[in-house]
Amino acid sequence: MKYYISIIILALFLSCRKSSKQADRLNFLFIIVDDLRPQFGAYGHPDIRSPNIDRLAANGLLFNHAYCNIPVCGASRASILTGLRPLWPVLFTSFNTRVDKDCPDVITFPELFRNYGYTTISNGKVFHHNNDCEKVWSESPWRPYQLTAKIESVNSQWVDPSSRKYVNKESGSGPYFECADVPDSAYFDGQVAAKTVKDLKRLAKADNPFFLAVGFIRPHLPFNAPKKYYDLYDQVKIADNRFTPIGLPKECSGSKEILTYSKIGQYNSDGFHLEAKRAYYACVSYVDAQIGKVLDALEETGRADQTVVVLIGDHGWHLGEHNFWGKHNVLENVLRIPMIIRIPGMTPKPIDRVVEFVDMYPTLCAVANIEFPEHLQGKNMLPMVAEEDPEWKDVAFAEWKGARNITTNRYSYTEWNRKESGRVHMLFDHKTDPEENENIVDRAEYKEVVDSLRRKLNNLYTDMNEKNKR
């Protein structure tokens, strides 16, 4: 009953759709974080210090089983912003994806909000390319291009820190981590937070409601953050399942992205695992601090009670499990992402149903009382959140370079269709094997499960291919 009441309150809050004045409509603060996996306090992992994300989660909807639709930056962001699923090899396939090339006629949700009278702003990494779909924003999208720290010398000349002397000759990339003793503003995300704080103060005084998108780049490689965040982690615990899962198909492999950076030491040694995990943790705490500055600024404007706050990662990341580092496969650590939505008037609670990124677009439309575009492939999550959708799908679909995955609240099933070798597939039972240490797809007792998941997977792709032909 209390969730039903929450929906009524929300409906009353949204009843003034036709008015363009901010006082009558909700604002939106949309925060997306690169390579952030759901490993911090709010998700039961106190080993990472994330007090600001945790307080947001305590006051919002915490989605425990949210999944990306493709585990790579550019394509995942394109999928989120358009509400369309990736379709190998046709649509949203790589880190370098551009919406304005793959589907230029599809309206993204920032553009839709702008059409409904919102001032739309992009700070940091929102689309993968800063100049992708530039016209969807009310102002030119902004981001700094400062991935490494700059240290100001006595004669006011900006110089690179000495660590930048070490460069991978093949890729041109520097070290995979950096921890200069500098203020937060010396790095990309500190500058994004500072710009966002200024924008919040300005937008809060305007007549129109705002849709402010903020993209933080850490903990994406290279793991660069001020030294004080590294100092938070004297000791970390490395993964205890550093072995290849039993029966894992060779098609499911690890990312080699980290190898394009220099100074990695002996790859997959204990020392490397400790150093790399500490660096990732430090970057999460650094970004958490920047998110805290933004949330504090929102409170100070007096508009927090009129602002929806969304926080998501664009995909997950392996931290040494199975000796994998990075993304680029369809295992749980890569597909599962953090998702937190704080909606004024709604009761905070955890959500244990399975959701996916394409559900974000229709949900934001519903919260804003904006009519859904016809092209959307996800579902509005609000009825499910209010426990009034008994037919909620409870499945998420993802793909990666020909691998097609379906995840339910218990199982993860993936198949590759290889002309030369036939069908290759894998199944994990998260109830008995949450760390995905053994592929059980060929066990007789799981045959009905495999057949059922295969049908659902094939039905989705048959429908998508038919629509693509039209």
Side-chain angles (χ1 to χ4, degrees):
M1 176 61 74
K2 64 181 179 180
Y3 303 126
Y4 179 71
I5 293 173
S6 294
I7 289 294
I8 293 177
I9 294 172
L10 179 63
L12 292 173
F13 210 108
L14 303 175
S15 60
C16 300
R17 165 182 163 180
K18 293 184 179 180
S19 171
S20 63
K21 292 184 178 180
Q22 185 170 176
D24 297 329
R25 303 177 70 182
L26 289 174
N27 304 301
F28 287 79
L29 175 60
F30 181 85
I31 303 171
I32 183 166
V33 183
D34 218 330
D35 288 11
L36 181 66
R37 60 188 256 165
Q39 185 174 344
F40 38 82
Y43 281 97
H45 296 275
D47 48 333
I48 291 186
R49 294 167 178 80
S50 54
N52 298 293
I53 297 176
D54 295 345
R55 69 177 160 111
L56 176 65
N59 292 287
L61 305 173
L62 177 70
F63 291 83
N64 287 317
H65 299 284
Y67 292 87
C68 70
N69 295 111
I70 184 168
V72 70
C73 304
S76 182
R77 290 160 187 267
S79 182
I80 298 165
L81 293 163
T82 62
L84 292 173
R85 301 182 189 280
L87 182 61
W88 174 268
V90 178
L91 184 69
F92 306 159
T93 61
S94 75
F95 79 95
N96 211 28
T97 293
R98 294 186 65 102
V99 172
D100 58 11
K101 288 187 177 180
D102 277 19
C103 50
D105 297 328
V106 170
I107 187 169
T108 64
F109 63 71
E111 182 178 6
L112 183 66
F113 275 71
R114 184 180 181 185
N115 292 345
Y116 272 76
Y118 281 78
T119 299
T120 56
I121 305 290
S122 171
N123 288 336
K125 183 180 176 182
V126 180
F127 285 94
H128 182 74
H129 297 277
N130 202 41
N131 63 351
D132 190 2
C133 297
E134 286 182 286
K135 294 181 180 180
V136 311
W137 307 109
S138 301
E139 302 173 7
S140 295
W142 178 92
R143 72 172 65 168
Y145 287 90
Q146 191 165 311
L147 301 184
T148 61
K150 302 289 185 180
I151 300 175
E152 190 174 16
S153 66
V154 292
N155 60 358
S156 298
Q157 296 297 313
W158 293 92
V159 296
D160 288 325
S162 59
S163 63
R164 298 302 297 169
K165 294 179 181 178
Y166 301 93
V167 175
N168 183 313
K169 293 181 180 179
E170 293 183 2
S171 66
S173 297
Y176 80 91
F177 79 95
E178 179 181 285
C179 53
D181 191 5
V182 293
D184 289 2
S185 59
Y187 286 112
F188 181 102
D189 292 315
Q191 295 171 43
V192 169
K195 169 71 160 52
T196 301
V197 167
K198 290 181 181 178
D199 286 340
L200 281 170
K201 293 177 180 178
R202 171 171 60 94
L203 293 169
K205 298 176 183 178
D207 289 335
N208 289 351
F210 63 80
F211 185 100
L212 176 54
V214 186
F216 292 110
I217 202 168
R218 296 291 166 260
H220 191 288
L221 286 163
F223 298 141
N224 296 345
K227 180 178 179 295
K228 62 183 177 182
Y229 298 103
Y230 279 77
D231 291 343
L232 294 174
Y233 301 99
D234 293 333
Q235 294 182 349
V236 297
K237 181 182 178 182
I238 61 179
D240 57 8
N241 61 337
R242 289 168 54 194
F243 53 84
T244 301
I246 298 170
L248 188 75
K250 61 179 177 57
E251 286 80 0
C252 186
S253 58
S255 171
K256 298 298 187 289
E257 180 183 11
I258 199 167
L259 296 179
T260 65
Y261 293 84
S262 70
K263 294 188 71 177
I264 64 169
Q266 186 178 350
Y267 183 60
N268 273 333
S269 65
D270 285 358
F272 172 77
H273 276 250
L274 290 168
E275 185 179 70
K277 202 164 188 178
R278 180 190 184 195
Y280 182 94
Y281 283 15
C283 287
V284 173
S285 291
Y286 170 52
V287 165
D288 176 82
Q290 310 320 303
I291 291 170
K293 294 174 186 177
V294 171
L295 295 178
D296 289 345
L298 177 62
E299 292 286 344
E300 291 169 5
T301 66
R303 296 289 186 181
D305 290 340
Q306 297 170 273
T307 303
V308 176
V309 180
V310 176
L311 181 119
I312 57 174
D314 59 356
H315 46 70
W317 225 78
H318 288 294
L319 282 172
E321 299 88 359
H322 308 304
N323 275 332
F324 289 158
W325 291 93
K327 53 256 189 186
H328 301 159
N329 61 39
V330 287
L331 295 175
E332 176 83 351
N333 285 326
V334 168
L335 297 182
R336 184 168 170 246
I337 52 92
M339 180 188 290
I340 301 167
I341 306 177
R342 188 182 73 188
I343 304 174
M346 289 201 72
T347 304
K349 65 170 182 173
I351 306 297
D352 291 325
R353 309 293 291 269
V354 174
V355 300
E356 53 185 337
F357 266 164
V358 289
D359 300 325
M360 180 64 70
Y361 193 149
T363 301
L364 295 184
C365 287
V367 172
N369 204 11
I370 290 175
E371 186 175 352
F372 297 2
E374 294 183 357
H375 74 269
L376 299 187
Q377 296 176 339
K379 289 187 66 177
N380 170 20
M381 295 183 285
L382 290 185
M384 177 272 290
V385 168
E387 300 179 355
E388 295 175 352
D389 186 358
E391 297 182 357
W392 180 255
K393 56 187 179 179
D394 272 324
V395 295
F397 298 96
E399 64 171 50
W400 174 245
K401 291 189 174 181
R404 295 174 174 178
N405 173 273
I406 177 172
T407 297
T408 71
N409 56 5
R410 178 169 177 176
Y411 298 105
S412 175
Y413 174 76
T414 304
E415 64 179 32
W416 294 258
N417 289 309
R418 304 295 193 193
K419 292 182 179 180
E420 66 278 8
S421 58
R423 179 165 50 87
V424 177
H425 56 172
M426 65 183 184
L427 176 74
F428 295 101
D429 184 342
H430 291 159
K431 182 177 180 180
T432 61
D433 181 22
E435 294 185 339
E436 298 187 332
N437 292 326
E438 182 176 3
N439 174 19
I440 55 173
V441 73
D442 292 325
R443 288 190 185 179
E445 62 266 35
Y446 287 98
K447 183 180 184 304
E448 290 186 7
V449 172
V450 171
D451 289 344
S452 174
L453 296 176
R454 280 199 70 203
R455 284 193 297 270
K456 291 180 180 180
L457 196 60
N458 290 337
N459 287 342
L460 172 77
Y461 277 93
T462 297
D463 182 60
M464 287 177 66
N465 282 317
E466 287 298 321
K467 289 180 179 179
N468 188 57
K469 290 177 183 178
R470 294 196 294 268

